[in-house]
Amino acid sequence: MAEHTIKAFDEEIDRLRGLIAEMGGRAEAAIESAMIALQRQDLALAAQVVADDKRIDAIEAEVEKLVIQVIALRAPMANDLRDVIAALKIVGVVERIGDYAKNIAKRVPLIMVNQRTLEPVSLLPSMGQVASEMVHDALNAFAARDPDLAVAVVERDTVVDDFYNSVFRTLVTYMVENPKTISECAHLLFIAKNIERIGDHATNVAEMVYYAATGQTLPDRDRGGAAAEE
Amino acid sequence: MAEHTIKAFDEEIDRLRGLIAEMGGRAEAAIESAMIALQRQDLALAAQVVADDKRIDAIEAEVEKLVIQVIALRAPMANDLRDVIAALKIVGVVERIGDYAKNIAKRVPLIMVNQRTLEPVSLLPSMGQVASEMVHDALNAFAARDPDLAVAVVERDTVVDDFYNSVFRTLVTYMVENPKTISECAHLLFIAKNIERIGDHATNVAEMVYYAATGQTLPDRDRGGAAAEE
């Protein structure tokens, strides 16, 4: 590329990375706010999380447009092209993470019983915390192209899976003993599952970062979830 | 582009479309087999669905490679470039649909009670059928660039959502009356949710097809699910 093209390309890549960082920050904030809304039964905050998800979707659309523009105008070579396509994949994953946070927030109004009677709720914020940190670190690993940080994210996924299995068992026991709370507990089950999926997606991002940085894939892990719930 | 480049480009696009059609066919088959495995308690078939998902993932990787190759070698112009990027997005969605089918199959061994006592199971195959047809039609709409077929897919999503809400209520009632089945019913809830998500993803594909064919977005619909379960 000519020098001015390289400069323009670098600027566009910086903008791309800036948008991804913003999107990641918003997804993290969405997870945290959704968990606070759940704990405090804060319907206004829950509604805010749902509304804010539109901005995450809008950033994804902006990244797509920018990627197409970069490819069309700069015709990046193999490695740069792969980076740009990877950015597209990563925003797709972050958009899904935002959706999971939104789905959690949407369930808050459906859990209207007095939560002090719903013990399993107390496990969820810590679980959400771990998942949200995984998202944070996965995007930092992406920004810094740091394979070690990526590995640390992947390893933490078992913590989220263990939480999930524990919440699942606790909720089932609780439902058996308190049949009146079954509907609320079903929503809590889905919330736990959404957090578990957020962990999976942070792991996906980390795996992509690791592959981009090292050219190696991490050994295949079985994603926690269905098979582990007994 | 020079004539031989256009020919090579067209051949690559054909291969891309062939891969997407194969992937879609496999995703449909996975949904159907997962539902049969669930109904018949066929653990071998369930295991087969889980194993076959690797092929769906492999096709996605192949499409990604081909897309990067097409862009790098052919430098397609704006419209063609947008088509190629759309192909990348669509295989991402089909991969997710395959994952949902795999997740359903993974739950089959966890639902070991005599199913004749679990009435809500009987609704799921019809629900799966509608979702699987939506996937089929969404990919046909993509292949034929048919916006009318795409609209028909989007409209059918409410059928899947209605099924989901009905299954949710039935399962909750059933759990209240039969606390011993709560664990199994929780897995059925997740299976219903997975089918509902398959419908959402088929809808996403249809919306992309509609946009690509007409340049217009369909009016925003609220995806069924959380908010509707009461």
Short mmCIF file of all heavy atoms in Angstrom, two decimals, chain A residues 124-180:
data_model
loop_
_atom_site.label_atom_id
_atom_site.label_comp_id
_atom_site.label_asym_id
_atom_site.label_seq_id
_atom_site.Cartn_x
_atom_site.Cartn_y
_atom_site.Cartn_z
N LEU A 124 -26.70 -15.87 42.01
CA LEU A 124 -26.59 -15.36 40.63
C LEU A 124 -25.67 -14.16 40.46
O LEU A 124 -24.91 -14.11 39.49
CB LEU A 124 -27.98 -15.08 40.07
CG LEU A 124 -28.84 -16.34 39.83
CD1 LEU A 124 -30.26 -15.96 39.46
CD2 LEU A 124 -28.23 -17.21 38.73
N PRO A 125 -25.70 -13.17 41.40
CA PRO A 125 -24.82 -12.02 41.17
C PRO A 125 -23.34 -12.39 41.11
O PRO A 125 -22.60 -11.87 40.26
CB PRO A 125 -25.12 -11.10 42.36
CG PRO A 125 -26.51 -11.47 42.76
CD PRO A 125 -26.62 -12.94 42.52
N SER A 126 -22.89 -13.32 41.97
CA SER A 126 -21.48 -13.73 41.90
C SER A 126 -21.19 -14.43 40.59
O SER A 126 -20.13 -14.25 39.98
CB SER A 126 -21.15 -14.69 43.04
OG SER A 126 -21.66 -14.21 44.25
N MET A 127 -22.13 -15.23 40.14
CA MET A 127 -21.96 -15.90 38.86
C MET A 127 -21.88 -14.88 37.73
O MET A 127 -21.02 -14.97 36.84
CB MET A 127 -23.16 -16.84 38.66
CG MET A 127 -23.06 -17.72 37.43
SD MET A 127 -24.55 -18.76 37.25
CE MET A 127 -24.17 -19.50 35.65
N GLY A 128 -22.76 -13.87 37.79
CA GLY A 128 -22.75 -12.82 36.78
C GLY A 128 -21.44 -12.04 36.80
O GLY A 128 -20.92 -11.66 35.75
N GLN A 129 -20.92 -11.85 38.01
CA GLN A 129 -19.64 -11.14 38.17
C GLN A 129 -18.51 -11.85 37.43
O GLN A 129 -17.75 -11.23 36.68
CB GLN A 129 -19.34 -11.07 39.67
CG GLN A 129 -18.07 -10.33 40.05
CD GLN A 129 -18.25 -8.83 39.93
OE1 GLN A 129 -19.35 -8.32 40.12
NE2 GLN A 129 -17.19 -8.13 39.58
N VAL A 130 -18.41 -13.16 37.63
CA VAL A 130 -17.35 -13.93 36.95
C VAL A 130 -17.52 -13.82 35.44
O VAL A 130 -16.55 -13.58 34.69
CB VAL A 130 -17.37 -15.41 37.39
CG1 VAL A 130 -16.26 -16.18 36.68
CG2 VAL A 130 -17.21 -15.54 38.90
N ALA A 131 -18.76 -13.98 34.96
CA ALA A 131 -19.00 -13.93 33.52
C ALA A 131 -18.65 -12.56 32.95
O ALA A 131 -18.02 -12.46 31.88
CB ALA A 131 -20.45 -14.28 33.22
N SER A 132 -19.02 -11.52 33.69
CA SER A 132 -18.75 -10.17 33.21
C SER A 132 -17.23 -9.90 33.17
O SER A 132 -16.73 -9.26 32.23
CB SER A 132 -19.51 -9.20 34.11
OG SER A 132 -18.88 -7.96 34.18
N GLU A 133 -16.50 -10.41 34.16
CA GLU A 133 -15.04 -10.26 34.12
C GLU A 133 -14.41 -11.03 32.96
O GLU A 133 -13.43 -10.60 32.37
CB GLU A 133 -14.44 -10.75 35.45
CG GLU A 133 -14.62 -9.74 36.58
CD GLU A 133 -14.34 -10.34 37.96
OE1 GLU A 133 -13.82 -11.48 38.03
OE2 GLU A 133 -14.68 -9.68 38.96
N MET A 134 -15.00 -12.19 32.66
CA MET A 134 -14.50 -12.94 31.51
C MET A 134 -14.66 -12.15 30.21
O MET A 134 -13.76 -12.13 29.36
CB MET A 134 -15.24 -14.28 31.38
CG MET A 134 -14.82 -15.32 32.41
SD MET A 134 -15.86 -16.80 32.30
CE MET A 134 -15.32 -17.49 30.71
N VAL A 135 -15.81 -11.46 30.08
CA VAL A 135 -16.04 -10.64 28.89
C VAL A 135 -15.00 -9.53 28.83
O VAL A 135 -14.37 -9.28 27.80
CB VAL A 135 -17.48 -10.04 28.90
CG1 VAL A 135 -17.67 -9.04 27.77
CG2 VAL A 135 -18.52 -11.15 28.82
N HIS A 136 -14.81 -8.88 29.98
CA HIS A 136 -13.83 -7.80 30.09
C HIS A 136 -12.43 -8.29 29.65
O HIS A 136 -11.78 -7.67 28.81
CB HIS A 136 -13.80 -7.31 31.54
CG HIS A 136 -12.85 -6.20 31.79
ND1 HIS A 136 -13.20 -4.87 31.61
CD2 HIS A 136 -11.56 -6.20 32.20
CE1 HIS A 136 -12.15 -4.11 31.88
NE2 HIS A 136 -11.15 -4.88 32.25
N ASP A 137 -12.00 -9.40 30.24
CA ASP A 137 -10.64 -9.89 29.96
C ASP A 137 -10.51 -10.41 28.53
O ASP A 137 -9.45 -10.27 27.90
CB ASP A 137 -10.27 -10.99 30.95
CG ASP A 137 -10.04 -10.42 32.36
OD1 ASP A 137 -9.99 -9.18 32.49
OD2 ASP A 137 -9.91 -11.21 33.31
N ALA A 138 -11.58 -11.02 28.00
CA ALA A 138 -11.51 -11.52 26.63
C ALA A 138 -11.29 -10.37 25.66
O ALA A 138 -10.49 -10.46 24.72
CB ALA A 138 -12.79 -12.28 26.28
N LEU A 139 -11.98 -9.24 25.92
CA LEU A 139 -11.82 -8.10 25.02
C LEU A 139 -10.49 -7.40 25.24
O LEU A 139 -9.89 -6.88 24.28
CB LEU A 139 -13.01 -7.15 25.15
CG LEU A 139 -14.24 -7.80 24.47
CD1 LEU A 139 -15.53 -7.21 24.97
CD2 LEU A 139 -14.15 -7.67 22.95
N ASN A 140 -10.00 -7.40 26.47
CA ASN A 140 -8.64 -6.89 26.71
C ASN A 140 -7.61 -7.77 26.00
O ASN A 140 -6.65 -7.27 25.43
CB ASN A 140 -8.34 -6.85 28.21
CG ASN A 140 -8.81 -5.55 28.82
OD1 ASN A 140 -9.31 -4.66 28.11
ND2 ASN A 140 -8.68 -5.43 30.14
N ALA A 141 -7.80 -9.07 26.08
CA ALA A 141 -6.89 -9.99 25.39
C ALA A 141 -6.89 -9.70 23.89
O ALA A 141 -5.85 -9.72 23.23
CB ALA A 141 -7.29 -11.44 25.66
N PHE A 142 -8.08 -9.41 23.36
CA PHE A 142 -8.20 -9.07 21.94
C PHE A 142 -7.44 -7.78 21.63
O PHE A 142 -6.64 -7.71 20.69
CB PHE A 142 -9.67 -8.94 21.55
CG PHE A 142 -9.89 -8.36 20.18
CD1 PHE A 142 -9.60 -9.11 19.04
CD2 PHE A 142 -10.38 -7.07 20.02
CE1 PHE A 142 -9.79 -8.57 17.77
CE2 PHE A 142 -10.58 -6.53 18.75
CZ PHE A 142 -10.29 -7.28 17.63
N ALA A 143 -7.67 -6.75 22.46
CA ALA A 143 -7.04 -5.45 22.22
C ALA A 143 -5.52 -5.56 22.29
O ALA A 143 -4.80 -4.95 21.50
CB ALA A 143 -7.56 -4.43 23.23
N ALA A 144 -5.02 -6.37 23.25
CA ALA A 144 -3.57 -6.47 23.45
C ALA A 144 -2.97 -7.67 22.71
O ALA A 144 -1.77 -7.91 22.80
CB ALA A 144 -3.28 -6.59 24.94
N ARG A 145 -3.83 -8.42 22.00
CA ARG A 145 -3.39 -9.66 21.33
C ARG A 145 -2.59 -10.52 22.31
O ARG A 145 -1.49 -11.00 21.99
CB ARG A 145 -2.51 -9.34 20.12
CG ARG A 145 -3.26 -8.54 19.08
CD ARG A 145 -2.32 -7.96 18.05
NE ARG A 145 -3.06 -7.11 17.12
CZ ARG A 145 -3.26 -7.38 15.86
NH1 ARG A 145 -2.77 -8.49 15.33
NH2 ARG A 145 -3.94 -6.57 15.09
N ASP A 146 -3.16 -10.72 23.47
CA ASP A 146 -2.45 -11.37 24.57
C ASP A 146 -2.95 -12.82 24.75
O ASP A 146 -4.00 -13.06 25.34
CB ASP A 146 -2.70 -10.55 25.85
CG ASP A 146 -2.00 -11.13 27.08
OD1 ASP A 146 -1.63 -12.32 27.06
OD2 ASP A 146 -1.84 -10.37 28.05
N PRO A 147 -2.17 -13.81 24.26
CA PRO A 147 -2.64 -15.19 24.34
C PRO A 147 -2.72 -15.72 25.77
O PRO A 147 -3.56 -16.58 26.07
CB PRO A 147 -1.61 -15.98 23.52
CG PRO A 147 -0.40 -15.11 23.46
CD PRO A 147 -0.87 -13.70 23.59
N ASP A 148 -1.86 -15.22 26.68
CA ASP A 148 -1.90 -15.72 28.06
C ASP A 148 -3.19 -15.30 28.76
O ASP A 148 -3.82 -16.09 29.47
CB ASP A 148 -0.69 -15.19 28.86
CG ASP A 148 0.62 -15.72 28.27
OD1 ASP A 148 0.59 -16.84 27.69
OD2 ASP A 148 1.64 -15.02 28.35
N LEU A 149 -3.57 -14.04 28.53
CA LEU A 149 -4.83 -13.56 29.11
C LEU A 149 -6.01 -14.35 28.52
O LEU A 149 -6.97 -14.69 29.23
CB LEU A 149 -4.99 -12.05 28.85
CG LEU A 149 -6.17 -11.36 29.53
CD1 LEU A 149 -6.18 -11.61 31.03
CD2 LEU A 149 -6.16 -9.85 29.24
N ALA A 150 -5.89 -14.68 27.24
CA ALA A 150 -6.94 -15.48 26.58
C ALA A 150 -7.07 -16.85 27.25
O ALA A 150 -8.18 -17.32 27.53
CB ALA A 150 -6.65 -15.63 25.09
N VAL A 151 -5.94 -17.47 27.55
CA VAL A 151 -5.96 -18.79 28.21
C VAL A 151 -6.63 -18.66 29.58
O VAL A 151 -7.44 -19.52 29.98
CB VAL A 151 -4.54 -19.37 28.35
CG1 VAL A 151 -4.55 -20.61 29.23
CG2 VAL A 151 -3.96 -19.70 26.98
N ALA A 152 -6.31 -17.57 30.30
CA ALA A 152 -6.89 -17.37 31.63
C ALA A 152 -8.42 -17.27 31.55
O ALA A 152 -9.13 -17.76 32.43
CB ALA A 152 -6.30 -16.12 32.28
N VAL A 153 -8.91 -16.63 30.49
CA VAL A 153 -10.37 -16.52 30.31
C VAL A 153 -10.96 -17.92 30.10
O VAL A 153 -11.95 -18.29 30.74
CB VAL A 153 -10.71 -15.61 29.11
CG1 VAL A 153 -12.20 -15.68 28.79
CG2 VAL A 153 -10.28 -14.18 29.38
N VAL A 154 -10.35 -18.67 29.21
CA VAL A 154 -10.86 -20.01 28.89
C VAL A 154 -10.91 -20.86 30.15
O VAL A 154 -11.88 -21.58 30.40
CB VAL A 154 -9.99 -20.67 27.80
CG1 VAL A 154 -10.41 -22.11 27.58
CG2 VAL A 154 -10.09 -19.88 26.49
N GLU A 155 -9.86 -20.76 30.96
CA GLU A 155 -9.82 -21.59 32.18
C GLU A 155 -10.91 -21.22 33.18
O GLU A 155 -11.42 -22.07 33.90
CB GLU A 155 -8.43 -21.46 32.84
CG GLU A 155 -7.40 -22.29 32.07
CD GLU A 155 -5.97 -22.01 32.51
OE1 GLU A 155 -5.76 -21.09 33.33
OE2 GLU A 155 -5.06 -22.71 32.02
N ARG A 156 -11.26 -19.92 33.21
CA ARG A 156 -12.27 -19.49 34.16
C ARG A 156 -13.68 -19.97 33.79
O ARG A 156 -14.59 -19.88 34.60
CB ARG A 156 -12.25 -17.96 34.29
CG ARG A 156 -12.12 -17.55 35.76
CD ARG A 156 -11.99 -16.06 35.90
NE ARG A 156 -11.04 -15.52 34.93
CZ ARG A 156 -11.04 -14.24 34.55
NH1 ARG A 156 -11.91 -13.40 35.06
NH2 ARG A 156 -10.16 -13.80 33.68
N ASP A 157 -13.83 -20.46 32.56
CA ASP A 157 -15.17 -20.87 32.16
C ASP A 157 -15.70 -22.02 33.03
O ASP A 157 -16.90 -22.14 33.23
CB ASP A 157 -15.19 -21.27 30.68
CG ASP A 157 -16.61 -21.35 30.13
OD1 ASP A 157 -17.45 -20.52 30.56
OD2 ASP A 157 -16.88 -22.22 29.30
N THR A 158 -14.80 -22.84 33.56
CA THR A 158 -15.28 -23.94 34.42
C THR A 158 -15.90 -23.39 35.72
O THR A 158 -16.79 -24.02 36.26
CB THR A 158 -14.14 -24.90 34.82
OG1 THR A 158 -13.07 -24.13 35.37
CG2 THR A 158 -13.62 -25.67 33.61
N VAL A 159 -15.43 -22.22 36.17
CA VAL A 159 -16.04 -21.62 37.36
C VAL A 159 -17.50 -21.31 37.07
O VAL A 159 -18.41 -21.63 37.86
CB VAL A 159 -15.29 -20.32 37.77
CG1 VAL A 159 -15.96 -19.68 38.99
CG2 VAL A 159 -13.82 -20.60 38.05
N VAL A 160 -17.74 -20.69 35.93
CA VAL A 160 -19.12 -20.34 35.55
C VAL A 160 -19.95 -21.62 35.40
O VAL A 160 -21.10 -21.68 35.84
CB VAL A 160 -19.14 -19.50 34.26
CG1 VAL A 160 -20.57 -19.24 33.81
CG2 VAL A 160 -18.43 -18.17 34.49
N ASP A 161 -19.37 -22.63 34.78
CA ASP A 161 -20.10 -23.90 34.60
C ASP A 161 -20.44 -24.54 35.95
O ASP A 161 -21.54 -25.07 36.12
CB ASP A 161 -19.28 -24.87 33.74
CG ASP A 161 -19.16 -24.40 32.30
OD1 ASP A 161 -19.92 -23.49 31.92
OD2 ASP A 161 -18.32 -24.94 31.57
N ASP A 162 -19.49 -24.48 36.87
CA ASP A 162 -19.75 -25.05 38.20
C ASP A 162 -20.87 -24.29 38.91
O ASP A 162 -21.76 -24.88 39.52
CB ASP A 162 -18.48 -25.02 39.06
CG ASP A 162 -17.44 -26.02 38.56
OD1 ASP A 162 -17.81 -26.89 37.75
OD2 ASP A 162 -16.27 -25.92 38.96
N PHE A 163 -20.81 -22.96 38.81
CA PHE A 163 -21.89 -22.14 39.34
C PHE A 163 -23.22 -22.58 38.75
O PHE A 163 -24.21 -22.76 39.45
CB PHE A 163 -21.69 -20.66 38.94
CG PHE A 163 -21.14 -19.78 40.03
CD1 PHE A 163 -19.89 -19.19 39.89
CD2 PHE A 163 -21.89 -19.51 41.16
CE1 PHE A 163 -19.38 -18.36 40.87
CE2 PHE A 163 -21.39 -18.67 42.16
CZ PHE A 163 -20.13 -18.10 42.01
N TYR A 164 -23.23 -22.72 37.44
CA TYR A 164 -24.47 -23.06 36.76
C TYR A 164 -25.03 -24.38 37.29
O TYR A 164 -26.23 -24.49 37.61
CB TYR A 164 -24.28 -23.13 35.25
CG TYR A 164 -25.53 -23.60 34.59
CD1 TYR A 164 -26.65 -22.77 34.54
CD2 TYR A 164 -25.64 -24.89 34.09
CE1 TYR A 164 -27.84 -23.21 34.00
CE2 TYR A 164 -26.83 -25.33 33.56
CZ TYR A 164 -27.92 -24.48 33.50
OH TYR A 164 -29.10 -24.93 32.99
N ASN A 165 -24.18 -25.38 37.37
CA ASN A 165 -24.66 -26.69 37.83
C ASN A 165 -25.18 -26.61 39.26
O ASN A 165 -26.19 -27.24 39.60
CB ASN A 165 -23.54 -27.73 37.70
CG ASN A 165 -23.26 -28.04 36.23
OD1 ASN A 165 -24.18 -28.09 35.42
ND2 ASN A 165 -21.99 -28.20 35.88
N SER A 166 -24.49 -25.81 40.06
CA SER A 166 -24.93 -25.65 41.44
C SER A 166 -26.29 -24.92 41.50
O SER A 166 -27.19 -25.33 42.23
CB SER A 166 -23.83 -24.88 42.19
OG SER A 166 -24.32 -24.43 43.40
N VAL A 167 -26.43 -23.85 40.72
CA VAL A 167 -27.70 -23.12 40.69
C VAL A 167 -28.82 -24.03 40.18
O VAL A 167 -29.93 -24.05 40.73
CB VAL A 167 -27.59 -21.85 39.80
CG1 VAL A 167 -28.96 -21.22 39.56
CG2 VAL A 167 -26.64 -20.84 40.41
N PHE A 168 -28.51 -24.81 39.16
CA PHE A 168 -29.54 -25.72 38.60
C PHE A 168 -30.05 -26.67 39.68
O PHE A 168 -31.25 -26.79 39.91
CB PHE A 168 -28.95 -26.51 37.43
CG PHE A 168 -29.96 -27.40 36.73
CD1 PHE A 168 -30.71 -26.92 35.68
CD2 PHE A 168 -30.16 -28.72 37.14
CE1 PHE A 168 -31.65 -27.72 35.04
CE2 PHE A 168 -31.10 -29.53 36.51
CZ PHE A 168 -31.84 -29.03 35.46
N ARG A 169 -29.12 -27.32 40.38
CA ARG A 169 -29.53 -28.28 41.41
C ARG A 169 -30.29 -27.58 42.54
O ARG A 169 -31.31 -28.06 43.01
CB ARG A 169 -28.30 -28.98 42.00
CG ARG A 169 -27.69 -29.95 41.04
CD ARG A 169 -26.75 -30.94 41.73
NE ARG A 169 -26.00 -31.66 40.72
CZ ARG A 169 -24.81 -31.29 40.26
NH1 ARG A 169 -24.21 -30.21 40.75
NH2 ARG A 169 -24.21 -31.98 39.32
N THR A 170 -29.77 -26.42 42.97
CA THR A 170 -30.42 -25.68 44.04
C THR A 170 -31.84 -25.30 43.65
O THR A 170 -32.78 -25.44 44.43
CB THR A 170 -29.61 -24.39 44.35
OG1 THR A 170 -28.25 -24.76 44.55
CG2 THR A 170 -30.13 -23.70 45.60
N LEU A 171 -31.99 -24.83 42.41
CA LEU A 171 -33.32 -24.39 41.97
C LEU A 171 -34.29 -25.55 41.89
O LEU A 171 -35.45 -25.43 42.29
CB LEU A 171 -33.22 -23.68 40.61
CG LEU A 171 -32.82 -22.21 40.67
CD1 LEU A 171 -32.49 -21.69 39.27
CD2 LEU A 171 -33.95 -21.36 41.27
N VAL A 172 -33.82 -26.69 41.37
CA VAL A 172 -34.71 -27.85 41.26
C VAL A 172 -35.16 -28.29 42.66
O VAL A 172 -36.36 -28.51 42.89
CB VAL A 172 -34.04 -29.00 40.49
CG1 VAL A 172 -34.84 -30.29 40.64
CG2 VAL A 172 -33.90 -28.65 39.01
N THR A 173 -34.23 -28.38 43.60
CA THR A 173 -34.58 -28.75 44.97
C THR A 173 -35.58 -27.76 45.54
O THR A 173 -36.58 -28.13 46.16
CB THR A 173 -33.31 -28.74 45.85
OG1 THR A 173 -32.31 -29.53 45.20
CG2 THR A 173 -33.60 -29.32 47.23
N TYR A 174 -35.29 -26.48 45.30
CA TYR A 174 -36.15 -25.43 45.82
C TYR A 174 -37.57 -25.53 45.26
O TYR A 174 -38.56 -25.34 45.97
CB TYR A 174 -35.53 -24.07 45.47
CG TYR A 174 -36.07 -22.96 46.33
CD1 TYR A 174 -35.52 -22.72 47.58
CD2 TYR A 174 -37.13 -22.19 45.90
CE1 TYR A 174 -36.03 -21.71 48.39
CE2 TYR A 174 -37.64 -21.18 46.70
CZ TYR A 174 -37.08 -20.94 47.94
OH TYR A 174 -37.59 -19.95 48.73
N MET A 175 -37.65 -25.82 43.97
CA MET A 175 -38.97 -25.94 43.33
C MET A 175 -39.76 -27.11 43.93
O MET A 175 -40.96 -27.02 44.14
CB MET A 175 -38.81 -26.14 41.82
CG MET A 175 -38.41 -24.88 41.09
SD MET A 175 -38.55 -25.07 39.28
CE MET A 175 -36.87 -25.38 38.83
N VAL A 176 -39.05 -28.22 44.17
CA VAL A 176 -39.72 -29.39 44.74
C VAL A 176 -40.32 -29.03 46.09
O VAL A 176 -41.45 -29.39 46.41
CB VAL A 176 -38.73 -30.58 44.87
CG1 VAL A 176 -39.38 -31.73 45.63
CG2 VAL A 176 -38.25 -31.04 43.50
N GLU A 177 -39.55 -28.26 46.87
CA GLU A 177 -40.00 -27.92 48.22
C GLU A 177 -41.00 -26.76 48.25
O GLU A 177 -41.75 -26.62 49.21
CB GLU A 177 -38.79 -27.58 49.11
CG GLU A 177 -37.95 -28.83 49.40
CD GLU A 177 -36.57 -28.49 49.93
OE1 GLU A 177 -36.27 -27.28 50.12
OE2 GLU A 177 -35.77 -29.43 50.13
N ASN A 178 -40.96 -25.91 47.24
CA ASN A 178 -41.82 -24.73 47.21
C ASN A 178 -42.53 -24.62 45.85
O ASN A 178 -42.21 -23.75 45.03
CB ASN A 178 -40.99 -23.45 47.42
CG ASN A 178 -40.13 -23.53 48.67
OD1 ASN A 178 -40.58 -23.22 49.76
ND2 ASN A 178 -38.90 -23.97 48.52
N PRO A 179 -43.49 -25.50 45.63
CA PRO A 179 -44.13 -25.54 44.30
C PRO A 179 -44.73 -24.20 43.88
O PRO A 179 -44.84 -23.94 42.68
CB PRO A 179 -45.22 -26.61 44.46
CG PRO A 179 -44.85 -27.38 45.67
CD PRO A 179 -44.03 -26.50 46.54
N LYS A 180 -45.05 -23.35 44.83
CA LYS A 180 -45.64 -22.06 44.45
C LYS A 180 -44.65 -21.16 43.72
O LYS A 180 -45.05 -20.20 43.06
CB LYS A 180 -46.12 -21.31 45.70
CG LYS A 180 -47.50 -21.74 46.13
CD LYS A 180 -48.00 -20.84 47.24
CE LYS A 180 -49.24 -21.44 47.88
NZ LYS A 180 -49.47 -20.90 49.22
#
